């Protein structure tokens, strides 16, 4: 493969990654996006340290985390890809919006917004490029209390 083809495949991983939550495809898409196992680092949002997880466990966690949202929309742009052999670093900007049901929002806002960056690592596998590590660095949030309320609901 050429550098441009590899770069295009890695950028496509970001699109598929966003579609996991936005289309609620927790079965097939994680297999097309992630290595097994892979490391996820959402410490900037959740406060939990990075963890390596088997793909099946992650798929269950995704379903549990995103099923209750009315809708989500992840816009991932500004991709900067650095490829070294069968490994790559992939940086991108993200704007992630998450809408909660009225019974959780009450009379307040119904959208949790996260803005920041992904700094992911990708590995070429026998099935193509896959993210081996996903790191989200949130630089701004609105209505982050909705995440806790959503988790309790």
């Amino acid at each position: 493969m050429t550098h441009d083809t590899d770069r295009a495949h890695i950028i496509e991983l970001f699109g598929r990654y966003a579609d996991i939550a936005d289309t609620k495809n927790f079965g097939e898409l994680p297999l097309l996006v992630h290595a097994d196992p892979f490391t996820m680092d959402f410490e900037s949002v959740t406060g939990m340290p990075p963890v390596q997880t088997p793909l099946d466990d992650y798929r269950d966690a995704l379903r549990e985390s995103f099923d209750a949202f009315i809708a989500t929309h992840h816009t991932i742009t500004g991709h900067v890809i650095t490829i070294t052999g069968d490994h790559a670093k992939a940086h991108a900007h993200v704007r992630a919006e998450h809408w909660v049901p009225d019974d959780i929002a009450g009379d307040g806002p119904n959208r949790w917004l996260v803005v920041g960056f992904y700094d992911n690592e990708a590995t070429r596998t026998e099935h193509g490029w896959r993210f081996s590590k996903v790191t989200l660095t949130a630089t701004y949030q609105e209505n982050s209390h909705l995440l806790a309320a959503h988790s309790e609901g």
Side-chain angles (χ1 to χ4, degrees):
M1 294 199 175
T2 69
H3 182 271
D4 288 342
T5 301
D6 287 340
R7 185 178 185 284
H9 285 200
I10 294 166
I11 290 171
E12 187 171 319
L13 287 178
F14 278 111
R16 288 181 176 177
Y17 177 80
D19 278 348
I20 292 171
D22 294 350
T23 66
K24 297 188 177 188
N25 183 335
F26 310 117
E28 175 190 19
L29 279 178
L31 301 171
L32 299 175
V33 173
H34 298 290
D36 189 13
F38 80 102
T39 301
M40 59 180 172
D41 180 354
F42 299 115
E43 188 170 8
S44 70
V45 173
T46 66
M48 294 173 28
V51 63
Q52 188 176 66
T53 183
L55 200 46
D56 283 342
D57 291 352
Y58 177 67
R59 290 163 65 190
D60 293 342
L62 280 170
R63 185 174 283 105
E64 187 177 306
S65 297
F66 285 98
D67 246 357
F69 285 113
I70 294 170
T72 62
H73 186 84
H74 293 74
T75 303
I76 304 172
T77 63
H79 306 91
V80 178
I81 311 296
T82 305
I83 300 169
T84 306
D86 291 337
H87 301 280
K89 295 193 181 291
H91 174 83
H93 301 246
V94 60
R95 178 185 175 99
E97 301 179 74
H98 312 76
W99 287 269
V100 298
D102 290 340
D103 61 330
I104 291 174
D107 292 333
N110 72 340
R111 182 193 55 137
W112 168 44
L113 170 67
V114 179
V115 179
F117 300 97
Y118 280 114
D119 285 293
N120 297 352
E121 296 175 16
T123 302
R124 189 191 320 265
T125 72
E126 63 184 278
H127 303 291
W129 285 99
R130 298 292 187 269
F131 285 140
S132 54
K133 183 175 183 183
V134 173
T135 302
L136 170 63
T137 302
T139 57
Y140 178 77
Q141 293 187 62
E142 286 179 1
N143 306 313
S144 59
H145 67 281
L146 292 174
L147 175 61
H150 168 266
S151 298
E152 295 167 3

